[in-house]
Amino acid sequence: MATLMSAFLRRRCRMSRGSIGMMQSFTRSLGSETKAAAAVLDDPPHNYVIVQGSGNSRTAVLNRPSTLNALNTSMGDRLQKLYESWENNPDVGLVALKGSGRVFCAGGDIVGLSQLINKGDLEACKDFFRTLYSFIYLLGTYLKPHVALLNGITMGGGAGVSIPGTFRVATDKTLFATPETLIGFHPDAGASFHLSHLSGCLGEYLALTGDKLNGAEMSACGLATHYSLHAKLPLIEEQIGNLVTDDPSVVEASLEKYSDFVYPDNMSIIQRTETIDRCFGHDTVEEIIDSLEVEAARTRDPWCISTLKRLHDASPLSLKVALRSIREGRFQTLDQCLIREYRMSLQGISKQITNDFCEGVRARMVDKDYAPKWDPPSLGQVSKDMVDQYFSPLCENLGPELELPTKQREAFR
């Protein structure tokens, strides 16, 4: 936690210098005009992001329970505007994020995105990724303490809009995963940053297999900063709602007050770190699979068999792209990861390399036959050029590249 706190303070100190001064002088108004604008932002009719709280704290609530709070472009845009308003409002010291219903967020609205792709509306797809990734960067460089309440499903983009913040509270109902390779995509929304910074090769394992973590496992590996029983969430929300502070150490002490000690059970993948590091530390997907097969033959461990099945079910091209993405993310800052992931996402949905994303969504989310026809269908048919194209600069019809305000908001490692 000391590392997290020092990163937050460095972020605040960096942005208190020249560039942030210019930005704030341009955007901040301390008079009635700011309060009127905030009122408009805080109370829109029929929106998928609603606002709770007043005084010193604000809570944004993801409010699409019928889609498991899946994110669309308007939600990303709304979050961006709210968070910018709150950051520039001296009366707001603390910001929180939660989901309505029994889930936090199942990720991006991939069914809606695949429909846009099939209609040929590439500009709307660009807007979706640009808006979502820009908000993630804002959150990752936010000047005020942020608390994400990760109760229920927290997958893909749902992790992306929470993990870069200061505090993440997991519960006994939390279910985390980055299952993108199973739908012919790549772990995005900042996943190549936060997964690559997990210990050992756990990030490679999660990225390639899409396996799930519960709240205790999230806490143990550092994806969550706190763990509390979900029954305590009303108390936590009341506590942080009543805080009058922008001091992260005060917020942390309040969260600790309701934290529970928990450790993953003996069947958890957290207990398999040696095997994961040994098998997933290889240079290629083929070598990883070979290593798992050797391990399975030697130990007859059911976990090895189920892991091999997950890899078999995933898109072969996505596996190779995801592995390279995690490996590159380990040596990049958050902004560098997001800029690269934006490039990869547009290359991946362009259909210039493959149709795997739309095919994966069809097989798992639309027809639900769970029998995707991957192209190419095997690892041996995935060429180096195919993988390289995901990481190549965007061509004219896919450009421009993602631009983030790195001069005003410095990213961190």
Side-chain angles (χ1 to χ4, degrees):
M1 187 59 67
T3 301
L4 184 152
M5 293 293 291
S6 61
F8 178 90
L9 293 173
R10 286 198 304 272
R11 186 189 321 166
R12 177 175 285 187
C13 290
R14 287 168 179 166
M15 294 187 64
S16 67
R17 300 194 294 264
S19 58
I20 188 62
M22 289 190 296
M23 181 179 70
Q24 289 179 333
S25 66
F26 175 74
T27 58
R28 178 174 290 181
S29 171
L30 302 181
S32 59
E33 205 171 288
T34 298
K35 294 182 179 179
V40 172
L41 286 170
D42 284 359
D43 193 28
H46 312 297
N47 206 287
Y48 289 141
V49 179
I50 58 178
V51 174
Q52 296 176 349
S54 58
N56 193 251
S57 69
R58 296 289 188 279
T59 299
V61 185
L62 305 177
N63 189 42
R64 290 184 75 196
S66 63
T67 64
L68 303 182
N69 298 328
L71 299 162
N72 59 22
T73 306
S74 66
M75 293 171 74
D77 183 60
R78 167 95 170 131
L79 287 167
Q80 180 90 12
K81 290 175 180 175
L82 284 171
Y83 276 55
E84 287 176 346
S85 171
W86 294 335
E87 186 176 66
N88 292 315
N89 184 346
D91 295 328
V92 175
L94 166 67
V95 175
L97 181 65
K98 68 175 186 177
S100 64
R102 294 182 293 177
V103 303
F104 176 70
C105 176
D109 185 352
I110 57 174
V111 174
L113 183 62
S114 67
Q115 291 171 346
L116 291 173
I117 296 168
N118 288 327
K119 290 177 183 176
D121 194 346
L122 188 58
E123 290 304 314
C125 297
K126 292 180 186 179
D127 286 343
F128 170 77
F129 289 113
R130 185 186 307 112
T131 303
L132 183 60
Y133 293 5
S134 295
F135 171 70
I136 291 169
Y137 185 70
L138 173 66
L139 178 61
T141 57
Y142 210 56
L143 290 180
K144 295 181 179 180
H146 185 269
V147 179
L149 302 174
L150 309 180
N151 191 47
I153 293 171
T154 304
M155 295 187 179
V161 298
S162 56
I163 289 177
T166 327
F167 304 108
R168 290 89 61 192
V169 181
T171 75
D172 49 319
K173 301 294 184 181
T174 301
L175 194 64
F176 167 91
T178 51
E180 286 83 359
T181 61
L182 300 173
I183 56 166
F185 204 55
H186 65 98
D188 70 318
S192 68
F193 182 79
H194 60 252
L195 290 184
S196 67
H197 286 74
L198 298 178
S199 65
C201 294
L202 181 60
E204 282 91 335
Y205 170 78
L206 294 173
L208 269 60
T209 66
D211 199 6
K212 303 176 184 67
L213 298 180
N214 60 32
E217 291 168 327
M218 284 192 75
S219 178
C221 73
L223 287 171
T225 59
H226 296 80
Y227 176 91
S228 298
L229 297 175
H230 82 282
K232 294 183 179 180
L233 284 180
L235 298 174
I236 294 173
E237 292 184 48
E238 181 180 8
Q239 176 80 7
I240 63 177
N242 290 332
L243 289 177
V244 182
T245 185
D246 64 354
D247 185 342
S249 64
V250 175
V251 179
E252 180 186 7
S254 297
L255 295 175
E256 292 286 352
K257 181 178 178 181
Y258 295 102
S259 292
D260 295 288
F261 177 80
V262 66
Y263 197 74
D265 61 37
N266 291 333
M267 299 301 292
S268 169
I269 64 164
I270 302 299
Q271 311 290 0
R272 298 179 179 273
T273 54
E274 289 186 9
T275 303
I276 288 174
D277 290 352
R278 183 166 59 249
C279 293
F280 283 81
H282 292 285
D283 292 337
T284 67
V285 176
E286 289 91 340
E287 290 173 324
I288 289 171
I289 291 175
D290 288 345
S291 182
L292 282 165
E293 289 175 343
V294 170
E295 190 76 17
R298 183 179 68 84
T299 64
R300 300 186 183 277
D301 188 342
W303 173 83
C304 292
I305 305 301
S306 65
T307 300
L308 284 166
K309 184 181 185 307
R310 283 181 175 275
L311 295 174
H312 174 76
D313 290 344
S315 156
L317 177 55
S318 290
L319 288 175
K320 292 199 172 187
V321 168
L323 181 61
R324 177 169 165 181
S325 180
I326 297 299
R327 297 278 165 84
E328 289 195 7
R330 190 161 282 135
F331 302 99
Q332 293 178 329
T333 55
L334 176 63
D335 62 299
Q336 291 170 335
C337 286
L338 289 169
I339 290 169
R340 174 177 47 75
E341 288 175 4
Y342 179 79
R343 177 182 293 175
M344 295 169 63
S345 295
L346 294 192
Q347 299 282 20
I349 67 170
S350 69
K351 297 190 177 182
Q352 295 176 5
I353 311 171
T354 182
N355 190 43
D356 275 5
F357 174 68
C358 288
E359 174 62 11
V361 172
R362 179 206 64 76
R364 286 194 169 262
M365 304 298 295
V366 181
D367 297 339
K368 297 184 179 180
D369 58 22
Y370 299 96
K373 295 178 175 59
W374 301 127
D375 178 28
S378 68
L379 287 169
Q381 292 171 280
V382 177
S383 69
K384 181 178 182 298
D385 286 344
M386 289 178 179
V387 177
D388 287 344
Q389 193 170 339
Y390 271 83
F391 297 81
S392 299
L394 296 174
C395 59
E396 185 175 348
N397 70 310
L398 292 179
E401 304 278 353
L402 178 66
E403 294 185 6
L404 297 172
T406 54
K407 291 183 179 180
Q408 292 80 25
R409 311 183 68 92
E410 187 175 353
F412 59 94
R413 286 195 174 274

